[in-house]
Amino acid sequence: MLFDAEADPCWDDRRFLGDFYNEILHQDTCRPDTADGLALLAVLAVDDRIPARHRFEAVSLLLKTATVAERHLAETWPAVPQHADPDSETRARNAVQGHTPDLLTRWSAECPAVRLALASLAVVFPTDRTLPALTPRLQPLTREHPPGTDIGDYARFVLVLATQDDNRILTATEDLTDSYWTGTARTAPTRARALHLLGQMQTKIASELTRPHTKQ
């Protein structure tokens, strides 16, 4: 459907991906079949025939799926998220974790936009090998985008998350939460609050990073 030249011209790649993504994470909630659909999503994320802006969106959706439980917990704390499905959320999170190592091997071949999305996955599923590599890998972005810019703040927040220092993460979360971001209860778990903010920041930078002129 994406690459067949004789396909219905009304069924373009953006419409296909939009409909497909809505089925995977319908209204930002996991369902029993969400985990199964992530395999195809991971394939799209590493296919060089897919434009860079769509690969970014695919990795972003993997991140949102992996963090849905914690993001919703931060939103509703101290109440339990109304539409939570713990079994489906756990299966989906495990599925994303299983695909993450293969996605991260793409780093050197990817454009800055997709690298930033991959870095987010790396801090959600940290390892002793991937976390130390983030600082040198993100240096080009932090040099190009100073503090106070959307992309610059996002890259620096990812690096703070990579420290796994709850005090630093909490401070950064508080500092970056202003009238623009939807705040979360200060008594909510720090990781949940941080991932909730990360999701909002990623949505904000997506429009800048995924413009059609983004290099592949």
Side-chain angles (χ1 to χ4, degrees), residues 14 50-57 110-115 151 205-216:
R14 181 164 291 278
I50 303 292
R53 63 186 184 278
H54 292 330
R55 296 200 305 276
F56 174 89
E57 291 170 355
E110 282 295 359
C111 67
V114 180
R115 288 179 180 180
I151 295 175
I205 66 171
S207 60
E208 182 172 349
L209 286 172
T210 61
R211 291 170 185 163
H213 64 260
T214 302
K215 294 181 179 179
Q216 298 186 41

Side-chain angles (χ1 to χ4, degrees), residues 58-97:
V59 178
S60 296
L61 186 59
L62 288 169
L63 175 72
K64 291 178 180 178
T65 303
T67 61
V68 66
E70 289 160 307
R71 291 187 293 104
H72 288 180
L73 180 64
E75 289 177 354
T76 62
W77 185 269
V80 175
Q82 185 177 1
H83 301 292
D85 182 345
D87 289 342
S88 295
E89 291 163 359
T90 298
R91 288 184 62 238
R93 177 183 171 83
N94 290 342
V96 177
Q97 186 172 16

Side-chain angles (χ1 to χ4, degrees), residues 34-200:
T34 294
D36 295 332
L38 296 176
L40 181 54
L41 185 63
V43 170
L44 293 174
V46 299
D47 193 317
D48 287 324
R49 294 173 296 175
I50 303 292
R53 63 186 184 278
H54 292 330
R55 296 200 305 276
F56 174 89
E57 291 170 355
V59 178
S60 296
L61 186 59
L62 288 169
L63 175 72
K64 291 178 180 178
T65 303
T67 61
V68 66
E70 289 160 307
R71 291 187 293 104
H72 288 180
L73 180 64
E75 289 177 354
T76 62
W77 185 269
V80 175
Q82 185 177 1
H83 301 292
D85 182 345
D87 289 342
S88 295
E89 291 163 359
T90 298
R91 288 184 62 238
R93 177 183 171 83
N94 290 342
V96 177
Q97 186 172 16
H99 292 299
T100 295
D102 289 339
L103 292 169
L104 292 178
T105 63
R106 292 268 306 174
W107 185 279
S108 61
E110 282 295 359
C111 67
V114 180
R115 288 179 180 180
L116 198 50
L118 292 174
S120 305
L121 276 182
V123 295
V124 171
F125 301 110
T127 69
D128 292 338
R129 183 175 64 87
T130 56
L131 288 186
L134 280 178
T135 297
R137 284 181 167 184
L138 289 180
Q139 278 181 344
L141 277 170
T142 55
R143 284 197 297 264
E144 182 179 353
H145 302 279
T149 61
D150 294 331
I151 295 175
D153 285 347
Y154 186 86
R156 288 170 176 81
F157 189 49
V158 167
L159 290 176
V160 172
L161 293 177
T163 68
Q164 298 185 293
D165 183 324
D166 280 353
N167 290 329
R168 289 188 61 186
I169 293 171
L170 180 59
T171 298
T173 300
E174 293 282 356
D175 288 346
L176 288 167
T177 300
D178 58 20
S179 58
Y180 180 84
W181 309 113
T182 301
T184 49
R186 284 189 164 87
T187 54
T190 297
R191 178 180 169 85
R193 294 187 66 199
L195 293 180
H196 182 269
L197 176 60
L198 186 70
Q200 292 185 88

Side-chain angles (χ1 to χ4, degrees), residues 1-56:
M1 295 176 70
L2 286 172
F3 308 116
D4 185 359
E6 298 180 358
D8 181 353
C10 295
W11 190 265
D12 60 22
D13 61 345
R14 181 164 291 278
R15 178 181 169 189
F16 166 78
L17 292 172
D19 290 345
F20 176 62
Y21 292 170
N22 184 58
E23 290 299 316
I24 290 291
L25 194 64
H26 182 63
Q27 296 183 349
D28 202 33
T29 58
C30 289
R31 299 183 296 186
D33 57 354
T34 294
D36 295 332
L38 296 176
L40 181 54
L41 185 63
V43 170
L44 293 174
V46 299
D47 193 317
D48 287 324
R49 294 173 296 175
I50 303 292
R53 63 186 184 278
H54 292 330
R55 296 200 305 276
F56 174 89

